[in-house]
Amino acid sequence: MSGQNEVPRRTVLAAVAMAPVALAIGTARAQTTGPEPASRGKVALVTGSSRGIGAATAKRLARDGYAVTVNCEKNLDLAAGVVREIEAGGGRAIWVQADVSDPSAVQRLFEENERAFGGVDVVVSNAGIMRLAPFRDMTDADFSRMVDVNQKGSFYVLREAARRVRDGGRIITLSSSITLLRSPTYGAYAATKGAQELFANVLAKELEGRMISVNAMAPGVVNTTLFTDGKTPEQIAGFAARTPHKRLGEPEDIADTIAALCSTEGTWINGQTVFANGGIV
Protein backbone atom coordinates (compact mmCIF):
# COMPACT_ATOMS: atom_id res chain seq x y z
CA MET A 1 0.00 0.00 0.00
CA SER A 2 1.30 3.47 -0.76
CA GLY A 3 0.27 7.08 -0.23
CA GLN A 4 1.43 10.57 0.72
CA ASN A 5 1.67 9.72 4.47
CA GLU A 6 3.70 6.56 3.97
CA VAL A 7 7.24 6.75 5.40
CA PRO A 8 9.75 5.52 2.82
CA ARG A 9 11.24 2.13 3.68
CA ARG A 10 14.75 3.50 3.34
CA THR A 11 14.03 6.17 5.96
CA VAL A 12 12.71 3.57 8.41
CA LEU A 13 15.78 1.38 7.95
CA ALA A 14 18.06 4.36 8.46
CA ALA A 15 16.27 5.28 11.67
CA VAL A 16 16.56 1.74 12.98
CA ALA A 17 20.24 1.61 12.12
CA MET A 18 20.87 4.86 13.97
CA ALA A 19 18.90 3.88 17.09
CA PRO A 20 21.83 2.26 18.97
CA VAL A 21 23.97 5.32 18.25
CA ALA A 22 21.28 7.66 19.50
CA LEU A 23 20.87 5.52 22.61
CA ALA A 24 24.60 5.61 23.29
CA ILE A 25 24.71 9.37 22.90
CA GLY A 26 21.72 9.77 25.17
CA THR A 27 23.29 7.59 27.83
CA ALA A 28 26.52 9.53 27.75
CA ARG A 29 24.65 12.80 27.97
CA ALA A 30 22.65 11.52 30.94
CA GLN A 31 25.85 10.54 32.70
CA THR A 32 27.42 13.95 32.25
CA THR A 33 24.35 16.04 32.98
CA GLY A 34 22.79 13.96 35.77
CA PRO A 35 22.08 15.24 39.26
CA GLU A 36 24.95 16.49 41.36
CA PRO A 37 26.07 14.07 44.11
CA ALA A 38 24.64 14.92 47.52
CA SER A 39 28.19 15.51 48.77
CA ARG A 40 28.95 18.24 46.22
CA GLY A 41 29.88 21.41 48.10
CA LYS A 42 30.56 19.54 51.34
CA VAL A 43 33.88 19.27 53.16
CA ALA A 44 35.79 16.32 54.63
CA LEU A 45 38.82 16.30 56.93
CA VAL A 46 40.86 13.09 57.14
CA THR A 47 43.71 12.75 59.63
CA GLY A 48 46.76 10.66 58.81
CA SER A 49 45.93 10.84 55.12
CA SER A 50 49.31 11.08 53.42
CA ARG A 51 49.31 7.33 52.67
CA GLY A 52 47.51 4.05 53.30
CA ILE A 53 43.86 3.98 54.32
CA GLY A 54 43.83 7.72 55.01
CA ALA A 55 45.08 8.64 51.54
CA ALA A 56 42.66 6.23 49.87
CA THR A 57 39.81 7.72 51.91
CA ALA A 58 40.75 11.30 51.05
CA LYS A 59 40.86 10.45 47.33
CA ARG A 60 37.59 8.54 47.45
CA LEU A 61 35.72 11.32 49.25
CA ALA A 62 37.15 13.82 46.77
CA ARG A 63 35.78 11.71 43.90
CA ASP A 64 32.42 11.77 45.68
CA GLY A 65 32.44 15.55 45.55
CA TYR A 66 33.89 16.59 48.90
CA ALA A 67 36.53 19.26 49.27
CA VAL A 68 39.18 17.53 51.39
CA THR A 69 41.73 18.54 54.00
CA VAL A 70 44.63 16.07 53.98
CA ASN A 71 46.67 15.77 57.16
CA CYS A 72 50.14 14.47 57.94
CA GLU A 73 52.70 14.65 60.71
CA LYS A 74 55.95 13.94 58.84
CA ASN A 75 55.19 12.85 55.26
CA LEU A 76 54.85 16.33 53.77
CA ASP A 77 55.77 15.26 50.24
CA LEU A 78 53.27 12.39 50.30
CA ALA A 79 50.50 14.66 51.58
CA ALA A 80 51.23 17.18 48.85
CA GLY A 81 51.09 14.33 46.32
CA VAL A 82 47.63 13.29 47.52
CA VAL A 83 46.46 16.88 47.07
CA ARG A 84 47.93 17.05 43.56
CA GLU A 85 46.17 13.82 42.61
CA ILE A 86 42.84 15.12 43.91
CA GLU A 87 43.27 18.39 42.04
CA ALA A 88 44.26 16.55 38.86
CA GLY A 89 40.91 14.77 39.05
CA GLY A 90 39.06 18.08 39.28
CA GLY A 91 38.67 18.11 43.08
CA ARG A 92 39.63 20.62 45.75
CA ALA A 93 42.06 19.84 48.55
CA ILE A 94 44.64 21.28 50.91
CA TRP A 95 47.16 19.60 53.18
CA VAL A 96 48.00 20.60 56.74
CA GLN A 97 50.85 19.33 58.90
CA ALA A 98 49.66 18.60 62.43
CA ASP A 99 50.53 16.04 65.11
CA VAL A 100 47.18 14.80 66.42
CA SER A 101 48.72 14.04 69.81
CA ASP A 102 49.02 17.82 70.33
CA PRO A 103 45.59 19.34 71.10
CA SER A 104 46.66 22.80 69.94
CA ALA A 105 47.84 21.34 66.63
CA VAL A 106 44.48 19.60 66.19
CA GLN A 107 42.69 22.88 66.80
CA ARG A 108 44.90 24.57 64.20
CA LEU A 109 44.18 21.75 61.74
CA PHE A 110 40.45 22.41 61.97
CA GLU A 111 40.97 26.16 61.76
CA GLU A 112 43.03 25.80 58.57
CA ASN A 113 40.26 23.63 57.11
CA GLU A 114 37.67 26.28 57.94
CA ARG A 115 39.79 29.07 56.44
CA ALA A 116 40.06 27.11 53.21
CA PHE A 117 36.56 25.65 52.91
CA GLY A 118 34.31 27.43 55.43
CA GLY A 119 33.34 24.44 57.58
CA VAL A 120 33.35 20.66 57.79
CA ASP A 121 30.75 17.95 57.18
CA VAL A 122 32.80 14.75 57.54
CA VAL A 123 35.69 14.00 59.90
CA VAL A 124 37.63 10.75 59.64
CA SER A 125 40.00 10.20 62.59
CA ASN A 126 42.45 7.85 60.93
CA ALA A 127 45.91 8.82 62.22
CA GLY A 128 47.51 6.04 64.21
CA ILE A 129 50.70 4.11 64.90
CA MET A 130 51.41 0.51 65.87
CA ARG A 131 54.12 -0.85 68.15
CA LEU A 132 54.06 -4.60 68.74
CA ALA A 133 55.65 -6.56 71.57
CA PRO A 134 54.65 -9.02 74.28
CA PHE A 135 53.66 -7.35 77.54
CA ARG A 136 57.00 -8.24 79.12
CA ASP A 137 58.92 -6.51 76.32
CA MET A 138 56.75 -3.46 75.60
CA THR A 139 58.72 -0.32 76.41
CA ASP A 140 57.25 2.64 78.26
CA ALA A 141 58.13 4.88 75.33
CA ASP A 142 56.31 2.74 72.74
CA PHE A 143 53.26 2.28 74.93
CA SER A 144 53.04 5.98 75.75
CA ARG A 145 53.41 7.01 72.12
CA MET A 146 50.58 4.72 71.04
CA VAL A 147 48.34 6.11 73.75
CA ASP A 148 49.31 9.67 72.78
CA VAL A 149 48.59 9.21 69.07
CA ASN A 150 45.90 6.54 68.88
CA GLN A 151 43.87 7.24 71.99
CA LYS A 152 44.51 10.84 73.05
CA GLY A 153 44.97 11.99 69.45
CA SER A 154 41.66 10.52 68.37
CA PHE A 155 39.97 12.05 71.41
CA TYR A 156 41.29 15.50 70.47
CA VAL A 157 40.09 15.06 66.87
CA LEU A 158 36.66 13.83 67.94
CA ARG A 159 36.34 16.68 70.43
CA GLU A 160 36.92 19.25 67.70
CA ALA A 161 34.60 17.33 65.38
CA ALA A 162 31.84 17.40 68.00
CA ARG A 163 32.19 21.18 68.17
CA ARG A 164 32.49 21.87 64.45
CA VAL A 165 30.85 19.24 62.21
CA ARG A 166 27.73 20.68 60.63
CA ASP A 167 24.33 19.16 61.32
CA GLY A 168 23.69 16.08 59.17
CA GLY A 169 27.40 15.26 59.00
CA ARG A 170 29.48 12.19 59.73
CA ILE A 171 32.24 11.39 62.22
CA ILE A 172 34.23 8.18 61.78
CA THR A 173 37.11 6.94 63.91
CA LEU A 174 39.38 4.03 63.05
CA SER A 175 39.32 1.01 65.32
CA SER A 176 40.70 -2.39 64.23
CA SER A 177 39.54 -5.97 63.93
CA ILE A 178 42.44 -6.84 66.26
CA THR A 179 39.99 -6.01 69.07
CA LEU A 180 38.36 -9.34 68.17
CA LEU A 181 41.42 -11.26 66.92
CA ARG A 182 43.40 -10.42 70.09
CA SER A 183 46.64 -11.88 68.75
CA PRO A 184 49.79 -12.09 70.88
CA THR A 185 51.97 -8.93 70.85
CA TYR A 186 48.95 -6.76 69.91
CA GLY A 187 47.65 -6.16 73.45
CA ALA A 188 48.64 -2.52 73.91
CA TYR A 189 47.73 -1.56 70.35
CA ALA A 190 44.36 -3.32 70.55
CA ALA A 191 43.55 -1.43 73.75
CA THR A 192 44.06 1.93 72.03
CA LYS A 193 41.82 0.80 69.18
CA GLY A 194 39.11 -0.57 71.45
CA ALA A 195 38.81 2.93 72.89
CA GLN A 196 37.59 4.14 69.47
CA GLU A 197 34.53 1.92 69.70
CA LEU A 198 33.59 3.45 73.04
CA PHE A 199 34.28 6.95 71.75
CA ALA A 200 32.00 6.46 68.75
CA ASN A 201 29.13 4.94 70.69
CA VAL A 202 29.11 7.61 73.40
CA LEU A 203 29.62 10.55 71.03
CA ALA A 204 26.74 9.38 68.85
CA LYS A 205 24.45 9.71 71.88
CA GLU A 206 25.86 13.09 72.88
CA LEU A 207 25.10 14.54 69.43
CA GLU A 208 21.44 13.50 69.44
CA GLY A 209 19.11 15.77 67.53
CA ARG A 210 21.75 16.97 65.07
CA MET A 211 21.49 14.08 62.59
CA ILE A 212 25.24 13.46 62.85
CA SER A 213 26.09 9.77 62.58
CA VAL A 214 29.20 8.65 64.47
CA ASN A 215 30.78 5.25 63.92
CA ALA A 216 34.00 3.31 64.38
CA MET A 217 35.50 1.55 61.36
CA ALA A 218 37.43 -1.64 62.17
CA PRO A 219 39.60 -2.85 59.27
CA GLY A 220 41.19 -6.27 59.23
CA VAL A 221 44.56 -7.06 57.67
CA VAL A 222 45.16 -4.36 55.07
CA ASN A 223 48.03 -3.99 52.63
CA THR A 224 49.59 -0.90 54.19
CA THR A 225 53.00 -0.28 55.70
CA LEU A 226 51.34 -0.06 59.12
CA PHE A 227 50.55 -3.77 58.80
CA THR A 228 53.35 -5.12 56.59
CA ASP A 229 56.37 -3.40 58.16
CA GLY A 230 58.31 -5.79 60.35
CA LYS A 231 56.59 -8.90 58.99
CA THR A 232 58.10 -11.57 56.77
CA PRO A 233 56.45 -12.50 53.46
CA GLU A 234 55.47 -15.80 55.06
CA GLN A 235 53.76 -14.05 57.97
CA ILE A 236 51.85 -11.75 55.62
CA ALA A 237 50.79 -14.71 53.47
CA GLY A 238 49.62 -16.50 56.61
CA PHE A 239 47.31 -13.62 57.53
CA ALA A 240 45.97 -13.46 53.97
CA ALA A 241 45.24 -17.20 54.03
CA ARG A 242 43.05 -16.73 57.11
CA THR A 243 40.54 -14.60 55.17
CA PRO A 244 37.83 -16.36 53.13
CA HIS A 245 38.88 -14.25 50.13
CA LYS A 246 42.50 -15.39 50.56
CA ARG A 247 43.96 -11.93 50.24
CA LEU A 248 44.83 -8.87 52.25
CA GLY A 249 42.43 -5.99 52.17
CA GLU A 250 43.45 -2.97 50.15
CA PRO A 251 43.19 0.63 51.39
CA GLU A 252 40.48 1.20 48.78
CA ASP A 253 38.34 -1.55 50.37
CA ILE A 254 38.22 0.43 53.59
CA ALA A 255 37.81 3.77 51.83
CA ASP A 256 34.78 2.39 49.99
CA THR A 257 33.18 1.33 53.27
CA ILE A 258 33.87 4.71 54.84
CA ALA A 259 32.34 6.40 51.79
CA ALA A 260 29.23 4.26 52.22
CA LEU A 261 28.89 5.42 55.82
CA CYS A 262 29.22 9.01 54.63
CA SER A 263 26.48 8.61 52.02
CA THR A 264 22.83 9.48 52.50
CA GLU A 265 22.10 5.76 52.74
CA GLY A 266 24.48 5.46 55.70
CA THR A 267 22.50 7.78 57.97
CA TRP A 268 20.84 5.02 60.02
CA ILE A 269 24.15 3.38 60.94
CA ASN A 270 25.02 5.28 64.11
CA GLY A 271 27.03 4.52 67.23
CA GLN A 272 28.28 1.25 65.75
CA THR A 273 31.55 -0.51 65.05
CA VAL A 274 31.67 -1.60 61.41
CA PHE A 275 34.04 -4.51 60.77
CA ALA A 276 35.47 -4.40 57.26
CA ASN A 277 37.85 -7.34 57.35
CA GLY A 278 36.98 -9.74 54.54
CA GLY A 279 35.68 -12.27 57.07
CA ILE A 280 38.92 -12.91 58.96
CA VAL A 281 36.97 -12.76 62.23
Side-chain angles (χ1 to χ4, degrees), residues 33-272:
T33 62
E36 289 279 315
S39 53
R40 186 71 65 189
K42 294 185 178 181
V43 179
L45 185 156
V46 185
T47 67
S49 46
S50 64
R51 60 182 179 175
I53 291 172
T57 299
K59 295 173 190 176
R60 171 58 198 267
L61 293 178
R63 290 198 302 273
D64 287 350
Y66 290 90
V68 180
T69 291
V70 174
N71 160 250
C72 67
E73 180 196 3
K74 298 176 181 177
N75 299 314
L76 280 63
D77 291 342
L78 293 179
V82 173
V83 169
R84 285 194 298 271
E85 186 172 339
I86 289 172
E87 292 176 336
R92 295 190 300 152
I94 63 168
W95 65 272
V96 179
Q97 181 184 18
D99 180 352
V100 298
S101 68
D102 178 353
S104 62
V106 171
Q107 185 176 8
R108 179 176 56 81
L109 169 63
F110 277 79
E111 289 170 351
E112 292 290 341
N113 171 82
E114 289 185 2
R115 271 192 283 271
F117 301 125
V120 66
D121 301 281
V122 168
V123 171
V124 181
S125 179
N126 169 77
I129 62 171
M130 182 164 62
R131 303 285 188 267
L132 301 182
F135 275 78
R136 65 188 179 190
D137 297 328
M138 176 65 66
T139 66
D140 291 346
D142 281 348
F143 177 69
S144 293
R145 185 58 181 160
M146 277 196 292
V147 170
D148 286 345
V149 175
N150 298 358
Q151 193 163 334
K152 291 183 180 180
S154 181
F155 173 81
Y156 299 145
V157 171
L158 297 180
R159 181 171 64 184
E160 289 298 323
R163 295 168 175 172
R164 299 174 188 260
V165 168
R166 290 183 282 227
D167 290 359
R170 300 286 187 274
I171 301 172
I172 297 168
T173 187
L174 269 288
S175 178
S176 170
S177 291
I178 198 63
T179 60
L180 297 183
L181 282 167
R182 302 177 183 181
S183 302
T185 75
Y186 281 86
Y189 174 75
T192 66
K193 287 301 179 177
Q196 311 311 312
E197 302 176 16
L198 293 173
F199 287 168
N201 187 266
V202 173
L203 183 55
K205 297 180 176 76
E206 292 180 354
L207 297 179
E208 64 175 330
R210 296 184 54 195
M211 295 302 293
I212 297 173
S213 294
V214 186
N215 293 288
M217 170 63 59
V221 289
V222 180
N223 188 21
T224 66
T225 55
L226 182 72
F227 171 72
T228 60
D229 281 359
K231 294 182 176 67
T232 66
E234 292 75 20
Q235 288 173 321
I236 295 170
F239 275 103
R242 292 169 65 181
T243 69
H245 294 328
K246 304 303 179 186
R247 68 171 177 87
L248 298 183
E250 294 297 331
E252 291 75 18
D253 293 322
I254 310 306
D256 289 344
T257 310
I258 290 173
L261 290 176
C262 293
S263 70
T264 302
E265 291 78 7
T267 302
W268 198 238
I269 303 172
N270 191 23
Q272 305 303 307

